[in-house]
Structure formats: structure tokens, C-alpha cells
Amino acid sequence: MVADRIFKDGAALSFRWQWARDPTGKTCGELQQLQDRLQSFLFAGGASDSWTWILQGNGIFTTQALTTLVNERNRIPVHVEIDKRGVDLDSVRCPMCNNDSETVEHATLTCPFAKDLWSRIFHWWNGGTPQYSNLEDMFQGKTCPSNTNASKLWQATEWVTGYMLWRIRNLKVFEGKMWNAPMVLSEIQAKSFLWITSRSENLHLDWNTWLLHPSTFDDHG
């Protein structure tokens, strides 16, 4: 709950964080930026904490809405789609590899950077090699573990991976920054763990289990 972490200390806000592991490196700077921005944020009194999904007008996540977005994926502004809309680009090649045209499926699945990252994700989950032929395979959960709880964790991992691939791509395009796959994998592990544990109060998942054996998790507590 936000009320357990942020409280008034005179005119300013104070923070009482509880971390599974202490922030280090770049994360410390991002945390400080967050805290600075929160100082001017006006919290709604009496309102309950909630998560908002910005891709849906009402802020509520549904698998149906996600499926609709996937089916309309040509709206994602990769270079090929931007070119189709009449924007004059120097090139429609993938900014990550420069080997092929940047389509949605290339950016998320078949680009060498994306393939390397997915291989690391599958290795982390002890799942062998990626078996996606298109985005529908990913969002329909064709590679999910049979274990019910683990399958939910795997789907969360897939979605966070897709988000991170697009974020890293945009950092490369707009800021000239390039992350390597091990760095992105660590970020995916941290972000997916935070998302899962924040949304699932009754799911008893610890950090070490998440890092070492995510595919074997089956919570009975």
C-alpha cells in the first residue's frame, strides 16, 4: 500500500521503502527522480491504491483488450509502419541490428537482439529454446508451463519482456543508448517480480526462488 511507504513529514513527503534487495547503480538515480516528482503530487484523500493500465481508457486491464491490441499491432510505430503512413525516413531497417526491415514481429521476435534476449529468458525458465513463430503464439500462452501458478508468472514474464524490448529499442532510436542482453534480462527479472508481487498479495513468491527456479513455483500457502 502507498500509505505504508509514503507519509507526510511536515510540508514534505518522507519514504519508508521495503526492498527485497537494496537499489544499486542506475536504479538509485531513478528512485531519487521518482521521490522528487512525488513531492509535488497531490494524493486523493480516502482513495484506495490501485494499478492503472494506460493502454485502456478505463484503466482496467483485460485479456480481451490486450488481444485487441495485439491484433491491431500494425499501429505500433516501427519503421515499416511509419513509412507506410507517408513519413519520410532515411531507412526502414531495424535500429537494433540494421540487418532487416523493422516490422513488429522483427522487433519483438526475430531481430538478433530479441532472439538473444528470448533465449536467455527461456534458459532462465529452463524452457529450452524459444518456439514462437508469431506474436499470437506468445500472447496465447502456447509455451506456458503446465503448473497453473507458474503459467501465470510466465505470462507476466512474456509481457514484461515485450515491454522491455520496445523500451530498449526507443532508447536506441531517441537517445543513442544501447543496453546489452544481460542488462535487459536483469531488468526483466526485477520488473516482473515487482509487478507480480505487487498485484498478487496472496502469492508467496520470494526473490531467490524467482531468480533460480521460476518454472517450478507452485504456491500452496
Side-chain angles (χ1 to χ4, degrees), residues 149-173:
N149 280 325
S151 69
K152 295 177 181 178
L153 304 187
W154 172 246
Q155 287 185 324
T157 303
E158 289 180 312
W159 297 337
V160 172
T161 301
Y163 159 77
M164 284 301 300
L165 280 167
W166 187 246
R167 178 172 181 240
I168 297 306
R169 179 264 188 200
N170 286 339
L171 286 174
K172 177 68 164 56
V173 170

PDB file of all heavy atoms in Angstrom, residues 149-173:
ATOM      1  N   ASN A 149       0.134 -21.866 -11.373  1.00  0.00           N
ATOM      2  CA  ASN A 149       0.741 -20.648 -10.863  1.00  0.00           C
ATOM      3  C   ASN A 149       1.946 -20.242 -11.697  1.00  0.00           C
ATOM      4  O   ASN A 149       2.134 -19.077 -12.003  1.00  0.00           O
ATOM      5  CB  ASN A 149       1.152 -20.823  -9.400  1.00  0.00           C
ATOM      6  CG  ASN A 149      -0.029 -20.668  -8.455  1.00  0.00           C
ATOM      7  OD1 ASN A 149      -0.924 -19.869  -8.684  1.00  0.00           O
ATOM      8  ND2 ASN A 149      -0.042 -21.452  -7.398  1.00  0.00           N
ATOM      9  N   ALA A 150       2.761 -21.226 -12.063  1.00  0.00           N
ATOM     10  CA  ALA A 150       3.935 -20.915 -12.878  1.00  0.00           C
ATOM     11  C   ALA A 150       3.526 -20.360 -14.240  1.00  0.00           C
ATOM     12  O   ALA A 150       4.213 -19.491 -14.797  1.00  0.00           O
ATOM     13  CB  ALA A 150       4.804 -22.157 -13.047  1.00  0.00           C
ATOM     14  N   SER A 151       2.412 -20.837 -14.794  1.00  0.00           N
ATOM     15  CA  SER A 151       1.981 -20.340 -16.102  1.00  0.00           C
ATOM     16  C   SER A 151       1.607 -18.867 -16.020  1.00  0.00           C
ATOM     17  O   SER A 151       1.863 -18.102 -16.958  1.00  0.00           O
ATOM     18  CB  SER A 151       0.800 -21.162 -16.623  1.00  0.00           C
ATOM     19  OG  SER A 151      -0.365 -20.934 -15.848  1.00  0.00           O
ATOM     20  N   LYS A 152       1.024 -18.440 -14.898  1.00  0.00           N
ATOM     21  CA  LYS A 152       0.689 -17.029 -14.728  1.00  0.00           C
ATOM     22  C   LYS A 152       1.957 -16.187 -14.620  1.00  0.00           C
ATOM     23  O   LYS A 152       2.037 -15.087 -15.168  1.00  0.00           O
ATOM     24  CB  LYS A 152      -0.182 -16.843 -13.479  1.00  0.00           C
ATOM     25  CG  LYS A 152      -1.550 -17.504 -13.582  1.00  0.00           C
ATOM     26  CD  LYS A 152      -2.327 -17.334 -12.293  1.00  0.00           C
ATOM     27  CE  LYS A 152      -3.688 -18.025 -12.378  1.00  0.00           C
ATOM     28  NZ  LYS A 152      -4.437 -17.916 -11.098  1.00  0.00           N
ATOM     29  N   LEU A 153       2.951 -16.709 -13.915  1.00  0.00           N
ATOM     30  CA  LEU A 153       4.215 -15.993 -13.791  1.00  0.00           C
ATOM     31  C   LEU A 153       4.906 -15.898 -15.147  1.00  0.00           C
ATOM     32  O   LEU A 153       5.531 -14.886 -15.474  1.00  0.00           O
ATOM     33  CB  LEU A 153       5.138 -16.704 -12.791  1.00  0.00           C
ATOM     34  CG  LEU A 153       4.593 -16.943 -11.382  1.00  0.00           C
ATOM     35  CD1 LEU A 153       5.692 -17.492 -10.479  1.00  0.00           C
ATOM     36  CD2 LEU A 153       4.030 -15.661 -10.791  1.00  0.00           C
ATOM     37  N   TRP A 154       4.803 -16.974 -15.937  1.00  0.00           N
ATOM     38  CA  TRP A 154       5.425 -16.966 -17.256  1.00  0.00           C
ATOM     39  C   TRP A 154       4.773 -15.926 -18.169  1.00  0.00           C
ATOM     40  O   TRP A 154       5.454 -15.211 -18.893  1.00  0.00           O
ATOM     41  CB  TRP A 154       5.335 -18.352 -17.887  1.00  0.00           C
ATOM     42  CG  TRP A 154       5.776 -18.382 -19.324  1.00  0.00           C
ATOM     43  CD1 TRP A 154       5.009 -18.635 -20.412  1.00  0.00           C
ATOM     44  CD2 TRP A 154       7.094 -18.120 -19.825  1.00  0.00           C
ATOM     45  NE1 TRP A 154       5.756 -18.549 -21.561  1.00  0.00           N
ATOM     46  CE2 TRP A 154       7.036 -18.238 -21.234  1.00  0.00           C
ATOM     47  CE3 TRP A 154       8.312 -17.798 -19.221  1.00  0.00           C
ATOM     48  CZ2 TRP A 154       8.155 -18.042 -22.048  1.00  0.00           C
ATOM     49  CZ3 TRP A 154       9.420 -17.599 -20.035  1.00  0.00           C
ATOM     50  CH2 TRP A 154       9.338 -17.729 -21.424  1.00  0.00           C
ATOM     51  N   GLN A 155       3.457 -15.826 -18.127  1.00  0.00           N
ATOM     52  CA  GLN A 155       2.770 -14.829 -18.950  1.00  0.00           C
ATOM     53  C   GLN A 155       3.195 -13.419 -18.557  1.00  0.00           C
ATOM     54  O   GLN A 155       3.404 -12.560 -19.419  1.00  0.00           O
ATOM     55  CB  GLN A 155       1.264 -14.988 -18.836  1.00  0.00           C
ATOM     56  CG  GLN A 155       0.733 -16.216 -19.563  1.00  0.00           C
ATOM     57  CD  GLN A 155      -0.781 -16.284 -19.529  1.00  0.00           C
ATOM     58  OE1 GLN A 155      -1.409 -15.915 -18.548  1.00  0.00           O
ATOM     59  NE2 GLN A 155      -1.369 -16.745 -20.607  1.00  0.00           N
ATOM     60  N   ALA A 156       3.332 -13.185 -17.257  1.00  0.00           N
ATOM     61  CA  ALA A 156       3.804 -11.874 -16.800  1.00  0.00           C
ATOM     62  C   ALA A 156       5.214 -11.613 -17.326  1.00  0.00           C
ATOM     63  O   ALA A 156       5.530 -10.494 -17.754  1.00  0.00           O
ATOM     64  CB  ALA A 156       3.788 -11.814 -15.279  1.00  0.00           C
ATOM     65  N   THR A 157       6.052 -12.647 -17.330  1.00  0.00           N
ATOM     66  CA  THR A 157       7.415 -12.504 -17.842  1.00  0.00           C
ATOM     67  C   THR A 157       7.399 -12.159 -19.327  1.00  0.00           C
ATOM     68  O   THR A 157       8.159 -11.293 -19.791  1.00  0.00           O
ATOM     69  CB  THR A 157       8.200 -13.805 -17.631  1.00  0.00           C
ATOM     70  OG1 THR A 157       8.208 -14.149 -16.239  1.00  0.00           O
ATOM     71  CG2 THR A 157       9.637 -13.664 -18.116  1.00  0.00           C
ATOM     72  N   GLU A 158       6.533 -12.808 -20.088  1.00  0.00           N
ATOM     73  CA  GLU A 158       6.426 -12.520 -21.522  1.00  0.00           C
ATOM     74  C   GLU A 158       6.051 -11.058 -21.770  1.00  0.00           C
ATOM     75  O   GLU A 158       6.643 -10.380 -22.617  1.00  0.00           O
ATOM     76  CB  GLU A 158       5.376 -13.424 -22.159  1.00  0.00           C
ATOM     77  CG  GLU A 158       5.778 -14.878 -22.282  1.00  0.00           C
ATOM     78  CD  GLU A 158       4.687 -15.701 -22.917  1.00  0.00           C
ATOM     79  OE1 GLU A 158       3.515 -15.579 -22.493  1.00  0.00           O
ATOM     80  OE2 GLU A 158       4.986 -16.472 -23.832  1.00  0.00           O
ATOM     81  N   TRP A 159       5.053 -10.581 -21.042  1.00  0.00           N
ATOM     82  CA  TRP A 159       4.577  -9.208 -21.262  1.00  0.00           C
ATOM     83  C   TRP A 159       5.655  -8.195 -20.890  1.00  0.00           C
ATOM     84  O   TRP A 159       5.845  -7.201 -21.594  1.00  0.00           O
ATOM     85  CB  TRP A 159       3.307  -8.962 -20.462  1.00  0.00           C
ATOM     86  CG  TRP A 159       2.170  -9.841 -20.892  1.00  0.00           C
ATOM     87  CD1 TRP A 159       2.015 -10.448 -22.106  1.00  0.00           C
ATOM     88  CD2 TRP A 159       1.029 -10.216 -20.115  1.00  0.00           C
ATOM     89  NE1 TRP A 159       0.853 -11.186 -22.135  1.00  0.00           N
ATOM     90  CE2 TRP A 159       0.218 -11.065 -20.922  1.00  0.00           C
ATOM     91  CE3 TRP A 159       0.601  -9.938 -18.828  1.00  0.00           C
ATOM     92  CZ2 TRP A 159      -0.966 -11.616 -20.475  1.00  0.00           C
ATOM     93  CZ3 TRP A 159      -0.588 -10.482 -18.375  1.00  0.00           C
ATOM     94  CH2 TRP A 159      -1.370 -11.321 -19.201  1.00  0.00           C
ATOM     95  N   VAL A 160       6.341  -8.439 -19.777  1.00  0.00           N
ATOM     96  CA  VAL A 160       7.410  -7.521 -19.370  1.00  0.00           C
ATOM     97  C   VAL A 160       8.547  -7.554 -20.384  1.00  0.00           C
ATOM     98  O   VAL A 160       9.144  -6.520 -20.698  1.00  0.00           O
ATOM     99  CB  VAL A 160       7.921  -7.866 -17.957  1.00  0.00           C
ATOM    100  CG1 VAL A 160       9.152  -7.040 -17.607  1.00  0.00           C
ATOM    101  CG2 VAL A 160       6.831  -7.618 -16.917  1.00  0.00           C
ATOM    102  N   THR A 161       8.841  -8.724 -20.928  1.00  0.00           N
ATOM    103  CA  THR A 161       9.890  -8.829 -21.943  1.00  0.00           C
ATOM    104  C   THR A 161       9.529  -8.033 -23.184  1.00  0.00           C
ATOM    105  O   THR A 161      10.370  -7.303 -23.739  1.00  0.00           O
ATOM    106  CB  THR A 161      10.135 -10.302 -22.320  1.00  0.00           C
ATOM    107  OG1 THR A 161      10.521 -11.036 -21.154  1.00  0.00           O
ATOM    108  CG2 THR A 161      11.244 -10.427 -23.369  1.00  0.00           C
ATOM    109  N   GLY A 162       8.282  -8.143 -23.640  1.00  0.00           N
ATOM    110  CA  GLY A 162       7.839  -7.359 -24.783  1.00  0.00           C
ATOM    111  C   GLY A 162       7.955  -5.866 -24.528  1.00  0.00           C
ATOM    112  O   GLY A 162       8.420  -5.108 -25.388  1.00  0.00           O
ATOM    113  N   TYR A 163       7.551  -5.447 -23.330  1.00  0.00           N
ATOM    114  CA  TYR A 163       7.666  -4.033 -22.959  1.00  0.00           C
ATOM    115  C   TYR A 163       9.127  -3.581 -22.976  1.00  0.00           C
ATOM    116  O   TYR A 163       9.455  -2.503 -23.505  1.00  0.00           O
ATOM    117  CB  TYR A 163       7.061  -3.816 -21.571  1.00  0.00           C
ATOM    118  CG  TYR A 163       7.544  -2.558 -20.886  1.00  0.00           C
ATOM    119  CD1 TYR A 163       7.053  -1.306 -21.244  1.00  0.00           C
ATOM    120  CD2 TYR A 163       8.517  -2.627 -19.879  1.00  0.00           C
ATOM    121  CE1 TYR A 163       7.508  -0.149 -20.629  1.00  0.00           C
ATOM    122  CE2 TYR A 163       8.979  -1.475 -19.261  1.00  0.00           C
ATOM    123  CZ  TYR A 163       8.476  -0.249 -19.639  1.00  0.00           C
ATOM    124  OH  TYR A 163       8.945   0.891 -19.027  1.00  0.00           O
ATOM    125  N   MET A 164      10.020  -4.402 -22.404  1.00  0.00           N
ATOM    126  CA  MET A 164      11.421  -4.016 -22.330  1.00  0.00           C
ATOM    127  C   MET A 164      12.070  -3.981 -23.708  1.00  0.00           C
ATOM    128  O   MET A 164      12.919  -3.116 -23.981  1.00  0.00           O
ATOM    129  CB  MET A 164      12.178  -4.968 -21.406  1.00  0.00           C
ATOM    130  CG  MET A 164      11.934  -4.726 -19.926  1.00  0.00           C
ATOM    131  SD  MET A 164      12.387  -3.048 -19.388  1.00  0.00           S
ATOM    132  CE  MET A 164      14.138  -3.008 -19.799  1.00  0.00           C
ATOM    133  N   LEU A 165      11.699  -4.880 -24.603  1.00  0.00           N
ATOM    134  CA  LEU A 165      12.238  -4.846 -25.961  1.00  0.00           C
ATOM    135  C   LEU A 165      11.890  -3.518 -26.642  1.00  0.00           C
ATOM    136  O   LEU A 165      12.727  -2.912 -27.326  1.00  0.00           O
ATOM    137  CB  LEU A 165      11.699  -6.017 -26.776  1.00  0.00           C
ATOM    138  CG  LEU A 165      12.385  -7.360 -26.560  1.00  0.00           C
ATOM    139  CD1 LEU A 165      11.561  -8.487 -27.166  1.00  0.00           C
ATOM    140  CD2 LEU A 165      13.792  -7.351 -27.175  1.00  0.00           C
ATOM    141  N   TRP A 166      10.660  -3.064 -26.464  1.00  0.00           N
ATOM    142  CA  TRP A 166      10.244  -1.804 -27.078  1.00  0.00           C
ATOM    143  C   TRP A 166      10.926  -0.624 -26.397  1.00  0.00           C
ATOM    144  O   TRP A 166      11.333   0.343 -27.067  1.00  0.00           O
ATOM    145  CB  TRP A 166       8.734  -1.668 -27.017  1.00  0.00           C
ATOM    146  CG  TRP A 166       8.217  -0.485 -27.782  1.00  0.00           C
ATOM    147  CD1 TRP A 166       7.598   0.629 -27.284  1.00  0.00           C
ATOM    148  CD2 TRP A 166       8.302  -0.279 -29.202  1.00  0.00           C
ATOM    149  NE1 TRP A 166       7.279   1.504 -28.285  1.00  0.00           N
ATOM    150  CE2 TRP A 166       7.702   0.969 -29.481  1.00  0.00           C
ATOM    151  CE3 TRP A 166       8.818  -1.040 -30.248  1.00  0.00           C
ATOM    152  CZ2 TRP A 166       7.615   1.480 -30.775  1.00  0.00           C
ATOM    153  CZ3 TRP A 166       8.732  -0.530 -31.535  1.00  0.00           C
ATOM    154  CH2 TRP A 166       8.138   0.719 -31.785  1.00  0.00           C
ATOM    155  N   ARG A 167      11.075  -0.688 -25.086  1.00  0.00           N
ATOM    156  CA  ARG A 167      11.734   0.406 -24.363  1.00  0.00           C
ATOM    157  C   ARG A 167      13.197   0.531 -24.778  1.00  0.00           C
ATOM    158  O   ARG A 167      13.692   1.642 -25.027  1.00  0.00           O
ATOM    159  CB  ARG A 167      11.645   0.159 -22.856  1.00  0.00           C
ATOM    160  CG  ARG A 167      12.354   1.236 -22.045  1.00  0.00           C
ATOM    161  CD  ARG A 167      12.107   1.124 -20.565  1.00  0.00           C
ATOM    162  NE  ARG A 167      12.798   2.184 -19.864  1.00  0.00           N
ATOM    163  CZ  ARG A 167      13.725   1.992 -18.942  1.00  0.00           C
ATOM    164  NH1 ARG A 167      14.063   0.758 -18.600  1.00  0.00           N
ATOM    165  NH2 ARG A 167      14.311   3.005 -18.344  1.00  0.00           N
ATOM    166  N   ILE A 168      13.908  -0.591 -24.879  1.00  0.00           N
ATOM    167  CA  ILE A 168      15.313  -0.564 -25.269  1.00  0.00           C
ATOM    168  C   ILE A 168      15.451  -0.070 -26.705  1.00  0.00           C
ATOM    169  O   ILE A 168      16.364   0.688 -27.040  1.00  0.00           O
ATOM    170  CB  ILE A 168      15.943  -1.957 -25.117  1.00  0.00           C
ATOM    171  CG1 ILE A 168      15.912  -2.394 -23.646  1.00  0.00           C
ATOM    172  CG2 ILE A 168      17.369  -1.978 -25.633  1.00  0.00           C
ATOM    173  CD1 ILE A 168      16.538  -1.408 -22.689  1.00  0.00           C
ATOM    174  N   ARG A 169      14.535  -0.478 -27.555  1.00  0.00           N
ATOM    175  CA  ARG A 169      14.540  -0.003 -28.942  1.00  0.00           C
ATOM    176  C   ARG A 169      14.397   1.503 -28.985  1.00  0.00           C
ATOM    177  O   ARG A 169      15.105   2.205 -29.724  1.00  0.00           O
ATOM    178  CB  ARG A 169      13.404  -0.702 -29.704  1.00  0.00           C
ATOM    179  CG  ARG A 169      13.268  -0.278 -31.165  1.00  0.00           C
ATOM    180  CD  ARG A 169      12.229   0.797 -31.330  1.00  0.00           C
ATOM    181  NE  ARG A 169      11.950   1.088 -32.743  1.00  0.00           N
ATOM    182  CZ  ARG A 169      11.385   2.205 -33.166  1.00  0.00           C
ATOM    183  NH1 ARG A 169      11.027   3.148 -32.298  1.00  0.00           N
ATOM    184  NH2 ARG A 169      11.161   2.382 -34.459  1.00  0.00           N
ATOM    185  N   ASN A 170      13.486   2.064 -28.198  1.00  0.00           N
ATOM    186  CA  ASN A 170      13.273   3.506 -28.195  1.00  0.00           C
ATOM    187  C   ASN A 170      14.463   4.261 -27.611  1.00  0.00           C
ATOM    188  O   ASN A 170      14.792   5.367 -28.066  1.00  0.00           O
ATOM    189  CB  ASN A 170      11.998   3.848 -27.429  1.00  0.00           C
ATOM    190  CG  ASN A 170      10.751   3.498 -28.209  1.00  0.00           C
ATOM    191  OD1 ASN A 170      10.788   3.362 -29.435  1.00  0.00           O
ATOM    192  ND2 ASN A 170       9.633   3.345 -27.521  1.00  0.00           N
ATOM    193  N   LEU A 171      15.112   3.698 -26.616  1.00  0.00           N
ATOM    194  CA  LEU A 171      16.320   4.325 -26.068  1.00  0.00           C
ATOM    195  C   LEU A 171      17.416   4.404 -27.127  1.00  0.00           C
ATOM    196  O   LEU A 171      18.154   5.387 -27.203  1.00  0.00           O
ATOM    197  CB  LEU A 171      16.819   3.544 -24.854  1.00  0.00           C
ATOM    198  CG  LEU A 171      16.008   3.690 -23.563  1.00  0.00           C
ATOM    199  CD1 LEU A 171      16.540   2.745 -22.492  1.00  0.00           C
ATOM    200  CD2 LEU A 171      16.067   5.129 -23.053  1.00  0.00           C
ATOM    201  N   LYS A 172      17.497   3.353 -27.953  1.00  0.00           N
ATOM    202  CA  LYS A 172      18.491   3.343 -29.020  1.00  0.00           C
ATOM    203  C   LYS A 172      18.150   4.392 -30.084  1.00  0.00           C
ATOM    204  O   LYS A 172      19.025   5.129 -30.560  1.00  0.00           O
ATOM    205  CB  LYS A 172      18.529   1.956 -29.669  1.00  0.00           C
ATOM    206  CG  LYS A 172      19.485   1.804 -30.858  1.00  0.00           C
ATOM    207  CD  LYS A 172      20.929   1.890 -30.413  1.00  0.00           C
ATOM    208  CE  LYS A 172      21.877   1.351 -31.494  1.00  0.00           C
ATOM    209  NZ  LYS A 172      21.744   1.998 -32.783  1.00  0.00           N
ATOM    210  N   VAL A 173      16.878   4.486 -30.462  1.00  0.00           N
ATOM    211  CA  VAL A 173      16.463   5.400 -31.519  1.00  0.00           C
ATOM    212  C   VAL A 173      16.556   6.855 -31.080  1.00  0.00           C
ATOM    213  O   VAL A 173      17.094   7.713 -31.797  1.00  0.00           O
ATOM    214  CB  VAL A 173      15.021   5.081 -31.978  1.00  0.00           C
ATOM    215  CG1 VAL A 173      14.492   6.166 -32.906  1.00  0.00           C
ATOM    216  CG2 VAL A 173      14.972   3.722 -32.666  1.00  0.00           C
TER     217      VAL A 173
END
